Amino acid sequence: MRAEHLETPAILINRPVFDSNMEKMARLLAPLKVALRPHYKSHKSIDIAHLQVRAGAKGITCAKVAEAEDLALAGIEDILIANQITEKSRIARVAYLAKGCRITVCVDQSQNIRDLEQAAAVEGSTIHCLVEYEVGMGRCGVTTHEAFRDLAMEVMACPHLVFDGVQAYAGQLSHEMDGTRRAEEAQRIETELQSLLADLKKWQIPVKEVSGASTGTVELRKEDTVYTEVQAGSYLFMDATYRQMGLRFENSLTVLATVVSTRPDLVVTDAGVKALGVDQGNPVCPALPGASVNMSEEHSAFTFPGHPFHVGDKIRLIPGHCCTTMNLHDFFYFEEEGKVLNRLPVTSRGKSK
Amino acid sequence: MRAEHLETPAILINRPVFDSNMEKMARLLAPLKVALRPHYKSHKSIDIAHLQVRAGAKGITCAKVAEAEDLALAGIEDILIANQITEKSRIARVAYLAKGCRITVCVDQSQNIRDLEQAAAVEGSTIHCLVEYEVGMGRCGVTTHEAFRDLAMEVMACPHLVFDGVQAYAGQLSHEMDGTRRAEEAQRIETELQSLLADLKKWQIPVKEVSGASTGTVELRKEDTVYTEVQAGSYLFMDATYRQMGLRFENSLTVLATVVSTRPDLVVTDAGVKALGVDQGNPVCPALPGASVNMSEEHSAFTFPGHPFHVGDKIRLIPGHCCTTMNLHDFFYFEEEGKVLNRLPVTSRGKSK
């Protein structure tokens, strides 16, 4: 079946572009000896996670316990939950999961370490831990080397926990549009992490992993990067926000919409904010370059005098944010040259717990 | 079970406030002799739709064919799809649905009317139509009385279609914060619709329904309003955006989150843009009044020096937009005085087709 026969809104992923993005990431990381641990949050698809592992990813990063459960049940054996798991009921689920596969979580406070140890002891499992170091997101993480050391030593003292290293995700840089500023700030973080690692070495705390980096900053890594693994997600799809940054990856994900109303200067489609994540900006329509867009829940209205569209036409939109767009859909479609190759579920859609 | 034991993020709806909002709407409309046809988009819950019908709603408004199917299967017998249905496959579904219940759609072009007639003829069903009149949204709808007349007459000439009247939804006013401007513009629209109705009467086109109005404008209706039915949705829940407008309805919907990290001036929760619709603005935390908030996919970080929260604490957030928040969750919880009364599905979550 051809893509234009799909009911809309529908997520289409151009398979050759998707494959090419996957290869580009492998070629980018190969000389750096940095492992790829791609972030599940971008696609929430176990099918894509399997493709990534087959293409060389050492494991998968995710954000939530419910996502980790989906990954484990799908046979992914090395899972990083790049987040603090602080509720007792969830910690129990993590400790149970850790019996069946390798689970790593982030920590940034003592009580949480004690709770994780207790739950793992109950299950007789082992939970790996990264101590989170705050590198500018204004979110989780410790802010001093000494605080890092103290938590790392607490983890090391727990018989059912393993201290693996540092979580240092600089999400605030992912969409820094000024390339010079992005490079400078990424270098500042590398220098700061080198200094942290030097102190940890002095304190005889062995660091195996430094995990972080995103699609927006992975290209800035040099051969001497301190990062050992990269958590990029959006590189497979790209989106309107990332597209402005001049990265090497190309846009593979579009949302197919149907034109439901027109005026001479207006094209109204059936894809609104319930089909297109707008948290990082509005969608762009490549067929209507420069058009301004007015979004509502179930419509996007593009102002473009003299447009060529009629009611019933199909139209492609590049969402402002690929990750929150995938999360709005139950399915996505792989396509090649306009032909539908497969319909696959967004396995963990809506799993925010 | 008490609300604080729920895994988060979780949507809580305070049942007494919810019931009070329902009663307030009934009291507001009673003297106006305007019917309530509440919008399903706000809750996407068949349980709530049934509560609304039991409380006097004449039928339900929705936006999508997939929502109409959920409503019909749940026994709702009078459904308005307040939208243009333009794809042949969807029109066929509408024509089929119309065999089992009363279905009304909006139209704003000739070809669509011909397609609807053809599909209804195939099924031997009857589809009711409102012609959409553009009242300032910059979206669908005809813009002149003559265009309206021509479409109404086309509908009336179709044996399987019934012309019911006017769709005139002024969504652009729903969040107009300036009460005076909102009232003036609502009056301008009433006057314009009166003029349209006068012309239609002159042309001997009988108008049974004038459908429209939202939570933000329903209070502006006077006894001589031209509207015969109101499509309000958010009145049951309210949200941070509507709360600023000083309406009579109160906030019943909160998202329960867990504090996952703190610093002396920062509270980080586990509810981000995948749990809180941010298309109309960021959430508000009543316990941290005036705090600035930094949203990411799975976190909201509130800056509030001297806050009283600790990791593991539960915290309530009022989302910026109730409708897009409901659409991100599989379930919601009714609660009363902190006690969970019931867990109910968001029946049509994600049904954007």
Side-chain angles (χ1 to χ4, degrees):
Chain A
M1 141 172 226
R2 294 199 60 80
E4 65 260 30
H5 292 120
L6 294 174
E7 286 202 352
T8 58
I11 291 183
L12 296 173
I13 297 174
N14 184 304
R15 188 60 196 261
V17 177
F18 171 94
D19 287 340
S20 154
N21 286 339
M22 192 123 65
E23 282 166 33
K24 281 176 184 170
M25 182 60 91
R27 278 205 302 276
L28 179 63
L29 296 184
L32 303 183
K33 298 188 185 67
V34 173
L36 181 62
R37 186 187 279 284
H39 211 311
Y40 189 59
K41 71 174 179 177
S42 298
H43 52 73
K44 287 179 173 261
S45 153
I46 53 165
D47 298 288
I48 293 181
H50 278 297
L51 290 174
Q52 290 174 312
V53 169
R54 210 176 304 152
K58 74 182 275 197
I60 300 288
T61 304
C62 66
K64 296 282 176 167
V65 177
E67 292 177 329
E69 287 165 343
D70 282 348
L71 287 164
L73 289 168
I76 304 295
E77 305 220 312
D78 186 348
I79 302 164
L80 164 62
I81 306 174
N83 226 327
Q84 283 66 23
I85 310 304
T86 60
E87 289 172 296
K88 291 277 175 69
S89 60
R90 278 179 186 158
I91 290 172
R93 283 156 64 196
V94 168
Y96 179 76
L97 263 192
K99 295 176 84 165
C101 56
R102 190 183 200 278
I103 296 279
T104 309
V105 299
C106 297
V107 294
D108 66 358
Q109 51 122 13
S110 295
Q111 181 62 51
N112 192 211
I113 293 169
R114 290 195 291 274
D115 291 344
L116 288 164
E117 166 61 21
Q118 194 177 32
V122 167
E123 289 291 354
S125 63
T126 299
I127 300 173
H128 293 255
C129 297
L130 299 176
V131 175
E132 182 155 359
Y133 190 68
E134 151 70 314
V135 287
M137 281 212 82
R139 210 167 68 182
C140 303
V142 298
T143 56
T144 67
H145 297 189
E146 290 72 20
F148 191 102
R149 174 197 59 200
D150 294 349
L151 292 181
M153 289 179 70
E154 284 184 46
V155 173
M156 288 162 68
C158 290
H160 297 88
L161 304 183
V162 174
F163 171 73
D164 269 357
V166 188
Q167 160 80 1
Y169 185 77
Q172 81 280 7
L173 287 190
S174 302
H175 294 108
E176 169 58 57
M177 291 295 158
D178 181 334
T180 309
R181 209 181 309 157
R182 197 160 78 243
E184 281 170 5
E185 180 64 3
Q187 185 52 51
R188 180 197 68 72
I189 292 169
E190 290 264 357
T191 305
E192 169 60 23
L193 289 173
Q194 271 157 357
S195 160
L196 172 68
L197 294 181
D199 275 347
L200 293 174
K201 193 170 179 181
K202 193 177 73 188
W203 293 322
Q204 293 184 301
I205 294 172
V207 174
K208 204 174 122 200
E209 302 288 358
V210 181
S211 191
S214 67
T215 296
T217 59
V218 64
E219 302 213 36
L220 305 170
R221 302 273 93 80
K222 300 187 190 115
E223 282 193 38
D224 64 346
T225 180
V226 297
Y227 283 93
T228 62
E229 59 180 33
V230 157
Q231 297 173 8
S234 305
Y235 70 99
L236 288 176
F237 299 148
M238 302 297 283
D239 53 35
T241 313
Y242 264 124
R243 211 164 69 128
Q244 295 170 54
M245 291 173 62
L247 308 178
R248 72 182 65 195
F249 307 104
E250 280 163 39
N251 188 254
S252 69
L253 185 155
T254 51
V255 171
L256 190 73
T258 301
V259 176
V260 294
S261 190
T262 62
R263 283 181 235 162
D265 62 345
L266 193 73
V267 180
V268 184
T269 88
D270 65 350
V273 297
K274 282 178 175 163
L276 293 151
V278 293
D279 56 301
Q280 291 181 352
N282 285 335
V284 163
C285 179
L288 301 169
S292 70
V293 55
N294 181 18
M295 298 296 295
S296 44
E297 278 174 60
E298 308 287 6
H299 301 85
S300 48
F302 294 86
T303 299
F304 194 93
H307 65 79
F309 287 102
H310 300 97
V311 169
D313 288 350
K314 303 286 177 164
I315 192 166
R316 280 167 187 261
L317 310 177
I318 299 175
H321 190 187
C322 57
C323 310
T324 50
T325 297
M326 286 295 281
N327 190 50
L328 293 169
H329 293 253
D330 289 325
F331 295 96
F332 67 92
Y333 299 84
F334 273 127
E335 61 154 343
E336 183 167 3
E337 294 179 358
K339 189 169 171 288
V340 174
L341 302 176
N342 204 357
R343 183 179 85 155
L344 292 168
V346 183
T347 320
S348 304
R349 179 216 49 73
K351 296 207 175 161
S352 58
K353 288 188 173 65
Chain B
M1 144 170 224
R2 295 197 61 81
E4 65 261 31
H5 293 120
L6 294 173
E7 286 203 351
T8 58
I11 291 183
L12 296 173
I13 296 173
N14 184 304
R15 188 59 197 262
V17 176
F18 171 95
D19 287 341
S20 156
N21 286 339
M22 192 124 66
E23 282 167 34
K24 282 176 182 169
M25 181 60 90
R27 279 205 303 276
L28 179 64
L29 296 183
L32 303 183
K33 298 187 185 69
V34 173
L36 181 62
R37 185 186 281 283
H39 210 309
Y40 188 60
K41 71 174 179 175
S42 298
H43 51 73
K44 288 180 173 259
S45 154
I46 53 168
D47 298 287
I48 294 180
H50 278 297
L51 290 174
Q52 289 174 314
V53 169
R54 210 175 305 151
K58 72 181 277 199
I60 301 288
T61 304
C62 64
K64 296 283 175 165
V65 177
E67 292 177 330
E69 287 166 342
D70 282 348
L71 287 163
L73 289 168
I76 303 296
E77 304 219 313
D78 187 348
I79 301 164
L80 164 62
I81 306 174
N83 224 327
Q84 285 66 22
I85 310 303
T86 59
E87 289 172 295
K88 291 277 173 71
S89 60
R90 281 180 184 156
I91 290 172
R93 284 156 65 195
V94 168
Y96 179 76
L97 263 192
K99 294 177 84 164
C101 56
R102 190 182 201 278
I103 295 280
T104 309
V105 298
C106 297
V107 294
D108 66 1
Q109 50 124 12
S110 295
Q111 182 61 51
N112 191 212
I113 293 168
R114 290 194 291 275
D115 290 343
L116 287 164
E117 167 60 21
Q118 193 177 34
V122 167
E123 290 291 352
S125 63
T126 299
I127 300 173
H128 293 255
C129 297
L130 299 176
V131 174
E132 182 155 0
Y133 190 67
E134 152 67 315
V135 287
M137 281 213 83
R139 211 167 67 181
C140 303
V142 298
T143 54
T144 67
H145 297 189
E146 291 72 20
F148 191 102
R149 173 197 61 201
D150 295 348
L151 292 182
M153 290 179 71
E154 284 183 48
V155 173
M156 289 162 68
C158 291
H160 297 87
L161 304 183
V162 175
F163 171 74
D164 269 358
V166 188
Q167 161 79 359
Y169 186 77
Q172 80 281 8
L173 286 190
S174 301
H175 294 108
E176 170 58 59
M177 292 296 157
D178 180 335
T180 309
R181 208 180 312 157
R182 197 161 77 243
E184 281 171 6
E185 181 64 5
Q187 186 51 51
R188 179 197 70 72
I189 292 169
E190 290 264 357
T191 307
E192 170 60 24
L193 289 172
Q194 271 157 359
S195 159
L196 171 67
L197 294 181
D199 275 346
L200 293 174
K201 192 170 182 180
K202 192 178 73 190
W203 293 324
Q204 295 184 301
I205 295 172
V207 173
K208 204 175 123 201
E209 303 288 359
V210 181
S211 192
S214 66
T215 296
T217 59
V218 64
E219 300 213 35
L220 305 169
R221 303 273 93 82
K222 300 187 192 115
E223 283 193 36
D224 63 347
T225 180
V226 297
Y227 284 93
T228 63
E229 58 180 32
V230 158
Q231 297 172 9
S234 305
Y235 70 101
L236 288 176
F237 299 147
M238 300 298 282
D239 53 35
T241 313
Y242 264 124
R243 211 165 68 129
Q244 296 170 54
M245 291 173 62
L247 309 177
R248 71 181 65 197
F249 307 103
E250 280 163 40
N251 188 255
S252 69
L253 186 154
T254 51
V255 171
L256 189 72
T258 300
V259 176
V260 292
S261 190
T262 63
R263 282 181 236 164
D265 62 345
L266 193 73
V267 180
V268 185
T269 88
D270 65 350
V273 297
K274 282 178 176 163
L276 293 151
V278 294
D279 55 300
Q280 290 179 354
N282 286 334
V284 163
C285 178
L288 301 170
S292 70
V293 56
N294 180 20
M295 298 296 294
S296 44
E297 278 173 62
E298 309 286 6
H299 301 85
S300 47
F302 293 87
T303 299
F304 194 93
H307 66 80
F309 287 102
H310 300 98
V311 169
D313 287 352
K314 304 285 178 166
I315 191 166
R316 282 167 186 263
L317 310 177
I318 300 174
H321 189 189
C322 57
C323 310
T324 50
T325 297
M326 286 295 280
N327 190 49
L328 293 169
H329 292 253
D330 289 324
F331 296 95
F332 67 92
Y333 300 84
F334 273 128
E335 61 154 343
E336 183 167 5
E337 295 179 357
K339 190 170 172 290
V340 173
L341 301 176
N342 204 356
R343 184 179 85 155
L344 293 167
V346 183
T347 320
S348 304
R349 178 215 51 72
K351 295 206 175 161
S352 58
K353 286 185 172 67

